[in-house]
Amino acid sequence: MIKVGVLGAKGRMGSQVCSTVALASDLALTAQVDVGDSLNQLLGADVVVDFTHPGAVMGNLRWCVEHGITAIVGTSGFDDARLTEVAGWLTARPAARVLVVPNFSVGAVLMMRFAELAAPFFESAEVIEMHHAGKVDAPSGTAGRTASVISAARAAARTGPMPDATATAAEGARGAEVDGVRVHSVRLAGLVAHQEVLLGGHGEILTIRHDSLDRASFMPGVLAAVRGAGGLPPGLTVGLDGLLGLA
Ligand SMILES: NC(=O)c1ccc[n+]([C@@H]2O[C@H](COP(=O)([O-])OP(=O)(O)OC[C@H]3O[C@@H](n4cnc5c(N)ncnc54)[C@H](O)[C@@H]3O)[C@@H](O)[C@H]2O)c1
């Protein structure tokens, strides 16, 4: 039985993680912690899952590392500087494990992998991400990550520059450039979270599309992380790819 503590337990994601863990016969939900609760409630857990807030997650994570509890982080905001900081804490605790997962949706992880595989074979690649009107950041972290993996795959294969004859453009018309890949962000009432990767070549276009329709889409990935994190090598792991057999 894996003992699981949840941080941000009253939030949209955290509450769903609590119900999902509670229903799994091989997992025991041992702590549900939210603002104002003591982190000491997490003592005794094998794994802690954090879905809190970018402003709170680093303190929580450091506490987990210092107490030798494997931490799985879904909270957003993990840029390179943060990952470096976490890796620094882990050098002092070589047995501890931290798994940072920018996207728990298995479909989104596969979309990024498919885009990475396809990228060297096409002249052009652009990303369109579409989200509900309440999203505060643009482009989405997943779109930015997709652009980065496309860019790296093209560079590794020495794919040439993308053709683009644009000579004049209204501001923003060609989207944001992330690692040399154009990313377009749509914000529209009624949408949830959607992304298309467009790959264009000679007389053909490949479109890879993913639609997140409900937070339930994250739960299989959360369960894979909770069940698999203890078997990861000690230290920092980013992404679900390894646990899904995609690394
Ligand atoms: N990785 C993924 O696949 C994925 C998917 C969805 C959301 N997210 C991210 O997860 C985070 C949470 O999203 P949400 O929609 O559940 O937000 P939310 O606002 O509904 O929930 C956050 C919860 O964390 C609690 N909290 C804040 N500070 C805390 C602290 N110091 N200790 C304990 N609890 C604390 C809040 O009270 C709240 O209950 C966000 O950063 C979001 O971007 C990631």
Side-chain angles (χ1 to χ4, degrees), residues 8 10-13 34-35 51-52 56 74-76 101-104 218:
K10 292 182 179 160
R12 285 167 290 203
M13 287 297 290
D34 207 282
V35 166
F51 277 106
T52 57
T75 305
S76 54
V101 182
N103 198 322
F104 278 99
F218 299 115

Side-chain angles (χ1 to χ4, degrees), residues 122 197-207:
F122 293 86
V197 182
L198 305 178
L199 297 135
H202 296 284
E204 62 175 345
I205 291 170
L206 172 64
T207 304

Side-chain angles (χ1 to χ4, degrees), residues 6-15 33-37 39 50-57 60 73-77 101-105 135 215 218 222:
V6 177
L7 272 160
K10 292 182 179 160
R12 285 167 290 203
M13 287 297 290
S15 55
V33 176
D34 207 282
V35 166
D37 298 328
L39 293 179
D50 186 301
F51 277 106
T52 57
H53 186 275
V57 65
N60 294 338
V73 185
T75 305
S76 54
V101 182
N103 198 322
F104 278 99
S105 152
K135 184 167 176 58
R215 284 189 187 82
F218 299 115
V222 170

Side-chain angles (χ1 to χ4, degrees), residues 24-25 33 76 95 102 105 118 129 153 156-157 161 164 179 189 199 204 216 220 233 237 239 244:
S25 56
V33 176
S76 54
S105 152
E129 57 97 334
D164 182 358
D179 291 343
L199 297 135
E204 62 175 345
T237 303
L244 298 178

Side-chain angles (χ1 to χ4, degrees), residues 29-146:
L29 181 62
T30 55
Q32 301 179 58
V33 176
D34 207 282
V35 166
D37 298 328
S38 167
L39 293 179
N40 287 334
Q41 289 184 34
L42 300 166
L43 290 170
D46 300 308
V47 177
V48 165
V49 183
D50 186 301
F51 277 106
T52 57
H53 186 275
V57 65
M58 292 300 271
N60 294 338
L61 194 46
R62 184 157 201 173
W63 185 93
C64 290
V65 169
E66 282 171 359
H67 288 80
I69 301 173
T70 296
I72 298 170
V73 185
T75 305
S76 54
F78 276 79
D79 54 14
D80 287 346
R82 282 198 163 193
L83 292 174
T84 304
E85 191 176 347
V86 173
W89 303 337
L90 287 163
T91 53
R93 299 269 173 179
R97 288 179 180 81
V98 173
L99 172 60
V100 175
V101 182
N103 198 322
F104 278 99
S105 152
V106 174
V109 173
L110 286 169
M111 169 185 63
M112 285 184 263
R113 174 48 63 91
F114 295 156
E116 184 179 18
L117 278 175
F121 296 97
F122 293 86
E123 271 187 283
S124 302
E126 302 210 4
V127 178
I128 307 172
E129 57 97 334
M130 296 155 276
H131 281 83
H132 58 88
K135 184 167 176 58
V136 294
D137 55 321
S140 72
T142 299
R145 175 83 188 134
T146 308

Side-chain angles (χ1 to χ4, degrees), residues 203-220:
E204 62 175 345
I205 291 170
L206 172 64
T207 304
I208 305 166
R209 180 171 172 119
H210 178 255
D211 298 276
S212 274
L213 305 174
D214 189 278
R215 284 189 187 82
S217 66
F218 299 115
M219 294 306 120

